[in-house]
């Protein structure tokens, strides 16, 4: 038998539910411009009582629900779109970072400037031509030397600029990017602690979860991540969810523990390491090979990889590729001229050498040889020139100088390991480096635009679900206002019904 | 050899064109331009047929040259001198074109999947609402018929 006043509880709960729903709608509208805010929804469940086993239960009993319960407030998010967005934002971060680094190189290889290597090669050729007409004239030999000196200094300058770009990115990686990622991990863990404490006390902490989601999105632009939750019981049929963020098979964040990245500079290309001390672990491990997207991968690739010089044709052309290309050019120039300046017995009388005493000539260390610079050595004008007292004697012939001029324009093989990567003159090779860089920038830009378009599209879709929509909230306002009015009407009706029992029932004939 | 070089050049330019098509497809998906998307899909179908023809042509040429079932890298390895240098460069260009094409195709696929997912989610919600409505109607009808009895 139902209590006479039972209906009032139903009406009260209905009023409360509608009021709460209006509160949630108000909160959504108030946060329409809050960054990262996720639309909230009131979760309602129908309340039923007395439907269990009962000694006096009759099959004619009719059980009516006892109203509505507000089970909680939840966020409207779509995990599929979250994953898609984070995957895509990682690719955007990676291509954007790669493009940035390539752009830094572009200014070095940009040959718009009139003082570039190409013009200097032409100048050297002109000076050699002048010398060929004035064989034996020291003045003209000095002019060739001065031109060669400018050329070597130019190569040194390019190598230095490349070094600056490399060092900038090492610094950026060490002090900006790694610090940023570690800060994000730390902040996520701090939020995890607060959220967990709130959940234990029954507070959904939705605003804190919004903040955490923003940080997770940001983290996804740096490294490839996978977000999981683990449900644990806190007793009395109550569960809370613990957050786990993984990158590959390594745990970056779990509950109140976070991992830590560390950048280890390498002596050469391929030696740079990205060490990660997993959440809760004591030792670190190089995780660079496991990176699949993100800013860190792009930075590490550009520092570690050297394209065709690494032995794989399709490998990323990082800073190493451009540095080694320049080294190859410097070495080719030096060996070509040094070879032509050997005496008839094949003894070397080098016009170019390494300034650090090493045998390997690079763009960074190439210089005009000390002997040539000091004037003790001169250019061999002819095959028949005798080498006496540290200098070539003048025979009047000039075919070796003409050969040197020819060599400047002649095609040569440029090899990365055993593979010829280019065939052409010095100038053509240098142009090719710039062209390759230009093509790399174009393809990276094109890929970046594609990823940006997709990321934007997925973000829009995600927002259409998670972001506050004024239209929907407006409709909700009307909807909940009506349900509130109806609940109030129910209360009045029940009151009137009870008034009938109290005031009018059993009074006939009184 | 010249034939082989030409087919590689053709493949490189073909993948360049396909990459552009994939980009247009991506734009069509993002702009919800169904007509343009359909056009792209038709062109893509034609492209797949063309690719099959080009691939067959390439396989035939390789067979003629005695390089049947060899990968491009293996072919390069067998060459020397100028040919090696020329084909290394050609391979690099083809590899670059393929990377750009794969990337554009992946992006278009992701955007399409996300769109289809959204449409599916909307349809699911509509179905749920429809079901809810149906249940209410059924309940009301049931109540009415019981009353009549």
């Amino acid at each position: 038998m139902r209590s006479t006043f039972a209906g009032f509880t139903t009406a009260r709960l209905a009023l409360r539910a509608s009021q709460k729903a209006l509160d949630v709608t108000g909160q959504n509208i108030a946060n329409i411009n809050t960054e990262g805010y996720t639309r909230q929804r009131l979760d309602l469940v129908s309340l039923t009582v007395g439907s269990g086993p009962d000694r006096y239960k009759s099959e004619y009993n009719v059980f009516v629900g006892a109203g509505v319960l507000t089970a909680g407030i939840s966020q409207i998010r779509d995990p599929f779109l979250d994953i898609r967005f984070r995957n895509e934002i990682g690719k955007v971060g990676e291509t954007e970072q790669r493009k940035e680094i390539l752009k830094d190189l572009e200014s070095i290889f940009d040959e718009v400037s009139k003082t570039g290597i190409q013009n200097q090669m032409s100048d050297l050729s002109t000076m050699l031509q002048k010398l060929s007409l004035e064989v034996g004239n020291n003045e003209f030999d000095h002019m060739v030397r001065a031109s060669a000196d400018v050329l070597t200094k130019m190569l040194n300058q390019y190598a230095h600029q490349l070094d600056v770009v490399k060092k900038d990115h090492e610094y950026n990686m060490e002090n900006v990017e790694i610090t940023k990622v570690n800060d994000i991990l730390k902040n996520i863990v701090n939020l995890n602690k607060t959220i967990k404490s709130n959940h234990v006390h029954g507070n959904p902490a939705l605003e804190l979860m919004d903040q955490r989601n923003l940080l997770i999105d940001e983290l996804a632009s740096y490294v490839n991540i996978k977000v999981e939750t683990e449900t644990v019981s806190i007793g009395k049929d109550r569960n809370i969810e613990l957050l786990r963020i993984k990158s590959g098979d390594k745990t970056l964040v779990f509950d109140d523990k976070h991992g830590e990245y560390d950048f280890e500079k390498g002596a050469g290309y391929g030696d740079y390491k990205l060490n990660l001390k997993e959440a809760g672990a004591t030792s670190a491990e190089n995780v660079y090979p496991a990176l699949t997207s993100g800013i860190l991968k792009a930075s590490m690739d550009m520092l570690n990889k050297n394209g065709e010089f690494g032995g794989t044709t399709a490998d990323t052309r990082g800073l190493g590729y451009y540095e080694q290309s320049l080294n190859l050019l410097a070495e080719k120039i030096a060996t070509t001229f040094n070879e032509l300046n050997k005496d008839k017995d094949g003894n070397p009388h080098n016009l170019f050498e390494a300034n650090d005493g090493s045998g390997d000539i690079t763009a960074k260390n190439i210089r005009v040889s000390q002997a040539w610079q000091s004037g003790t050595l001169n250019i061999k004008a002819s095959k028949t020139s005798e080498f006496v007292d540290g200098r070539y004697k003048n025979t009047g012939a000039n075919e070796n100088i003409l050969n040197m001029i020819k060599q400047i324009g002649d095609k040569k093989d440029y090899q990365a390991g055993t593979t010829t990567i280019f065939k052409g003159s010095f100038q053509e090779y240098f142009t090719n480096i710039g062209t390759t860089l230009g093509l790399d920038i174009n393809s990276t830009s094109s890929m970046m635009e594609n990823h940006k378009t997709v990321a934007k599209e997925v973000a829009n879709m995600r927002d259409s679900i998670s972001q506050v929509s004024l239209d929907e909230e407006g409709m909700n306002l009307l909807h909940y206002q009506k349900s509130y009015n109806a609940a109030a009407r129910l209360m009045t009706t029940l009151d009137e019904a009870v008034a009938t029992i109290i005031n009018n029932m059993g009074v006939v004939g009184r | 050899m010249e034939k082989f070089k030409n087919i590689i050049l053709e493949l490189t330019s073909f993948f360049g064109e396909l990459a552009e098509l994939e980009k247009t497809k991506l734009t069509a998906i993002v702009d919800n331009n169904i007509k343009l998307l359909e056009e792209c899909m038709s062109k893509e179908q034609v492209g797949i047929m063309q690719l099959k023809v080009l691939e067959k042509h390439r396989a035939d040429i390789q067979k003629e040259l005695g390089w049947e079932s060899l990968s491009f890298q293996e072919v390069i390895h067998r060459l020397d001198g100028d040919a090696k240098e020329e084909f290394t460069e050609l391979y690099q260009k083809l590899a670059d074109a393929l990377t750009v094409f794969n990337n554009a195709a992946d992006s278009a696929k992701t955007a399409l999947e996300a769109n289809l997912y959204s449409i599916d989610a909307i349809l699911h919600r509509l179905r749920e609402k429809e079901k809810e409505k149906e249940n209410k109607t059924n309940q009301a009808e049931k109540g009415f018929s019981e009353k009549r009895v």
Side-chain angles (χ1 to χ4, degrees), chain B residues 25-40:
Chain B
K25 198 168 113 183
L26 177 60
T27 316
I29 296 164
V30 172
D31 296 344
N32 287 327
N33 188 339
I34 306 294
K35 202 180 161 211
L36 183 61
L37 182 63
E38 275 175 358
E39 271 174 35
C40 290

PDB file of all heavy atoms in Angstrom, chain B residues 25-40:
ATOM      1  N   LYS B  25      40.927  15.708 -52.951  1.00  0.00           N
ATOM      2  CA  LYS B  25      39.956  14.852 -52.262  1.00  0.00           C
ATOM      3  C   LYS B  25      39.827  15.291 -50.800  1.00  0.00           C
ATOM      4  O   LYS B  25      38.716  15.401 -50.276  1.00  0.00           O
ATOM      5  CB  LYS B  25      40.436  13.397 -52.338  1.00  0.00           C
ATOM      6  CG  LYS B  25      39.353  12.382 -52.063  1.00  0.00           C
ATOM      7  CD  LYS B  25      39.839  10.998 -52.437  1.00  0.00           C
ATOM      8  CE  LYS B  25      39.979  10.137 -51.229  1.00  0.00           C
ATOM      9  NZ  LYS B  25      40.517   8.818 -51.514  1.00  0.00           N
ATOM     10  N   LEU B  26      40.973  15.576 -50.203  1.00  0.00           N
ATOM     11  CA  LEU B  26      40.979  16.015 -48.802  1.00  0.00           C
ATOM     12  C   LEU B  26      40.181  17.314 -48.649  1.00  0.00           C
ATOM     13  O   LEU B  26      39.365  17.463 -47.740  1.00  0.00           O
ATOM     14  CB  LEU B  26      42.426  16.193 -48.327  1.00  0.00           C
ATOM     15  CG  LEU B  26      42.656  16.708 -46.916  1.00  0.00           C
ATOM     16  CD1 LEU B  26      42.040  15.774 -45.885  1.00  0.00           C
ATOM     17  CD2 LEU B  26      44.148  16.844 -46.628  1.00  0.00           C
ATOM     18  N   THR B  27      40.423  18.251 -49.586  1.00  0.00           N
ATOM     19  CA  THR B  27      39.689  19.524 -49.553  1.00  0.00           C
ATOM     20  C   THR B  27      38.186  19.271 -49.700  1.00  0.00           C
ATOM     21  O   THR B  27      37.376  19.880 -49.000  1.00  0.00           O
ATOM     22  CB  THR B  27      40.169  20.442 -50.707  1.00  0.00           C
ATOM     23  OG1 THR B  27      41.575  20.375 -50.767  1.00  0.00           O
ATOM     24  CG2 THR B  27      39.730  21.861 -50.520  1.00  0.00           C
ATOM     25  N   ALA B  28      37.843  18.365 -50.630  1.00  0.00           N
ATOM     26  CA  ALA B  28      36.424  18.052 -50.859  1.00  0.00           C
ATOM     27  C   ALA B  28      35.787  17.468 -49.595  1.00  0.00           C
ATOM     28  O   ALA B  28      34.662  17.818 -49.251  1.00  0.00           O
ATOM     29  CB  ALA B  28      36.290  17.064 -52.018  1.00  0.00           C
ATOM     30  N   ILE B  29      36.535  16.617 -48.894  1.00  0.00           N
ATOM     31  CA  ILE B  29      36.005  15.997 -47.667  1.00  0.00           C
ATOM     32  C   ILE B  29      35.765  17.066 -46.609  1.00  0.00           C
ATOM     33  O   ILE B  29      34.716  17.127 -45.985  1.00  0.00           O
ATOM     34  CB  ILE B  29      36.986  14.916 -47.134  1.00  0.00           C
ATOM     35  CG1 ILE B  29      37.109  13.768 -48.133  1.00  0.00           C
ATOM     36  CG2 ILE B  29      36.533  14.385 -45.778  1.00  0.00           C
ATOM     37  CD1 ILE B  29      38.308  12.869 -47.901  1.00  0.00           C
ATOM     38  N   VAL B  30      36.778  17.924 -46.443  1.00  0.00           N
ATOM     39  CA  VAL B  30      36.692  18.962 -45.411  1.00  0.00           C
ATOM     40  C   VAL B  30      35.569  19.953 -45.716  1.00  0.00           C
ATOM     41  O   VAL B  30      34.855  20.393 -44.821  1.00  0.00           O
ATOM     42  CB  VAL B  30      38.067  19.666 -45.276  1.00  0.00           C
ATOM     43  CG1 VAL B  30      37.975  20.873 -44.372  1.00  0.00           C
ATOM     44  CG2 VAL B  30      39.100  18.694 -44.740  1.00  0.00           C
ATOM     45  N   ASP B  31      35.420  20.286 -47.013  1.00  0.00           N
ATOM     46  CA  ASP B  31      34.380  21.251 -47.398  1.00  0.00           C
ATOM     47  C   ASP B  31      33.010  20.605 -47.568  1.00  0.00           C
ATOM     48  O   ASP B  31      32.060  21.283 -47.980  1.00  0.00           O
ATOM     49  CB  ASP B  31      34.763  21.950 -48.719  1.00  0.00           C
ATOM     50  CG  ASP B  31      36.023  22.779 -48.567  1.00  0.00           C
ATOM     51  OD1 ASP B  31      36.400  23.041 -47.413  1.00  0.00           O
ATOM     52  OD2 ASP B  31      36.623  23.147 -49.598  1.00  0.00           O
ATOM     53  N   ASN B  32      32.920  19.308 -47.326  1.00  0.00           N
ATOM     54  CA  ASN B  32      31.669  18.557 -47.541  1.00  0.00           C
ATOM     55  C   ASN B  32      31.166  18.721 -48.970  1.00  0.00           C
ATOM     56  O   ASN B  32      29.965  18.819 -49.201  1.00  0.00           O
ATOM     57  CB  ASN B  32      30.584  19.001 -46.560  1.00  0.00           C
ATOM     58  CG  ASN B  32      30.872  18.497 -45.169  1.00  0.00           C
ATOM     59  OD1 ASN B  32      31.438  17.412 -45.006  1.00  0.00           O
ATOM     60  ND2 ASN B  32      30.515  19.278 -44.176  1.00  0.00           N
ATOM     61  N   ASN B  33      32.084  18.781 -49.907  1.00  0.00           N
ATOM     62  CA  ASN B  33      31.716  18.941 -51.314  1.00  0.00           C
ATOM     63  C   ASN B  33      31.599  17.544 -51.940  1.00  0.00           C
ATOM     64  O   ASN B  33      32.562  16.990 -52.463  1.00  0.00           O
ATOM     65  CB  ASN B  33      32.793  19.780 -52.009  1.00  0.00           C
ATOM     66  CG  ASN B  33      32.405  20.169 -53.414  1.00  0.00           C
ATOM     67  OD1 ASN B  33      31.542  19.537 -54.021  1.00  0.00           O
ATOM     68  ND2 ASN B  33      33.036  21.205 -53.935  1.00  0.00           N
ATOM     69  N   ILE B  34      30.389  17.002 -51.853  1.00  0.00           N
ATOM     70  CA  ILE B  34      30.176  15.617 -52.294  1.00  0.00           C
ATOM     71  C   ILE B  34      30.437  15.454 -53.790  1.00  0.00           C
ATOM     72  O   ILE B  34      31.025  14.456 -54.222  1.00  0.00           O
ATOM     73  CB  ILE B  34      28.730  15.159 -51.962  1.00  0.00           C
ATOM     74  CG1 ILE B  34      28.432  15.366 -50.470  1.00  0.00           C
ATOM     75  CG2 ILE B  34      28.498  13.708 -52.355  1.00  0.00           C
ATOM     76  CD1 ILE B  34      29.227  14.504 -49.531  1.00  0.00           C
ATOM     77  N   LYS B  35      30.035  16.489 -54.560  1.00  0.00           N
ATOM     78  CA  LYS B  35      30.193  16.385 -56.015  1.00  0.00           C
ATOM     79  C   LYS B  35      31.678  16.260 -56.373  1.00  0.00           C
ATOM     80  O   LYS B  35      32.074  15.386 -57.145  1.00  0.00           O
ATOM     81  CB  LYS B  35      29.587  17.634 -56.673  1.00  0.00           C
ATOM     82  CG  LYS B  35      29.217  17.403 -58.111  1.00  0.00           C
ATOM     83  CD  LYS B  35      28.629  18.631 -58.747  1.00  0.00           C
ATOM     84  CE  LYS B  35      28.717  18.477 -60.247  1.00  0.00           C
ATOM     85  NZ  LYS B  35      28.878  19.721 -60.931  1.00  0.00           N
ATOM     86  N   LEU B  36      32.470  17.136 -55.746  1.00  0.00           N
ATOM     87  CA  LEU B  36      33.909  17.105 -56.018  1.00  0.00           C
ATOM     88  C   LEU B  36      34.518  15.793 -55.523  1.00  0.00           C
ATOM     89  O   LEU B  36      35.377  15.202 -56.184  1.00  0.00           O
ATOM     90  CB  LEU B  36      34.588  18.301 -55.327  1.00  0.00           C
ATOM     91  CG  LEU B  36      36.088  18.469 -55.554  1.00  0.00           C
ATOM     92  CD1 LEU B  36      36.395  18.660 -57.024  1.00  0.00           C
ATOM     93  CD2 LEU B  36      36.622  19.681 -54.775  1.00  0.00           C
ATOM     94  N   LEU B  37      34.024  15.321 -54.380  1.00  0.00           N
ATOM     95  CA  LEU B  37      34.539  14.068 -53.826  1.00  0.00           C
ATOM     96  C   LEU B  37      34.254  12.905 -54.775  1.00  0.00           C
ATOM     97  O   LEU B  37      35.133  12.067 -55.036  1.00  0.00           O
ATOM     98  CB  LEU B  37      33.914  13.809 -52.451  1.00  0.00           C
ATOM     99  CG  LEU B  37      34.381  12.555 -51.716  1.00  0.00           C
ATOM    100  CD1 LEU B  37      35.870  12.628 -51.400  1.00  0.00           C
ATOM    101  CD2 LEU B  37      33.611  12.375 -50.408  1.00  0.00           C
ATOM    102  N   GLU B  38      33.035  12.909 -55.327  1.00  0.00           N
ATOM    103  CA  GLU B  38      32.674  11.849 -56.277  1.00  0.00           C
ATOM    104  C   GLU B  38      33.570  11.900 -57.515  1.00  0.00           C
ATOM    105  O   GLU B  38      34.029  10.871 -58.007  1.00  0.00           O
ATOM    106  CB  GLU B  38      31.206  11.989 -56.690  1.00  0.00           C
ATOM    107  CG  GLU B  38      30.275  11.307 -55.697  1.00  0.00           C
ATOM    108  CD  GLU B  38      28.818  11.538 -56.011  1.00  0.00           C
ATOM    109  OE1 GLU B  38      28.510  12.264 -56.980  1.00  0.00           O
ATOM    110  OE2 GLU B  38      27.986  11.010 -55.249  1.00  0.00           O
ATOM    111  N   GLU B  39      33.817  13.138 -57.974  1.00  0.00           N
ATOM    112  CA  GLU B  39      34.697  13.312 -59.142  1.00  0.00           C
ATOM    113  C   GLU B  39      36.080  12.741 -58.843  1.00  0.00           C
ATOM    114  O   GLU B  39      36.673  12.035 -59.651  1.00  0.00           O
ATOM    115  CB  GLU B  39      34.854  14.804 -59.466  1.00  0.00           C
ATOM    116  CG  GLU B  39      33.806  15.337 -60.421  1.00  0.00           C
ATOM    117  CD  GLU B  39      33.932  16.837 -60.589  1.00  0.00           C
ATOM    118  OE1 GLU B  39      35.066  17.355 -60.563  1.00  0.00           O
ATOM    119  OE2 GLU B  39      32.874  17.496 -60.706  1.00  0.00           O
ATOM    120  N   CYS B  40      36.569  13.072 -57.621  1.00  0.00           N
ATOM    121  CA  CYS B  40      37.906  12.591 -57.222  1.00  0.00           C
ATOM    122  C   CYS B  40      37.940  11.071 -57.154  1.00  0.00           C
ATOM    123  O   CYS B  40      38.895  10.438 -57.591  1.00  0.00           O
ATOM    124  CB  CYS B  40      38.300  13.158 -55.857  1.00  0.00           C
ATOM    125  SG  CYS B  40      38.625  14.900 -55.892  1.00  0.00           S
TER     126      CYS B  40
END
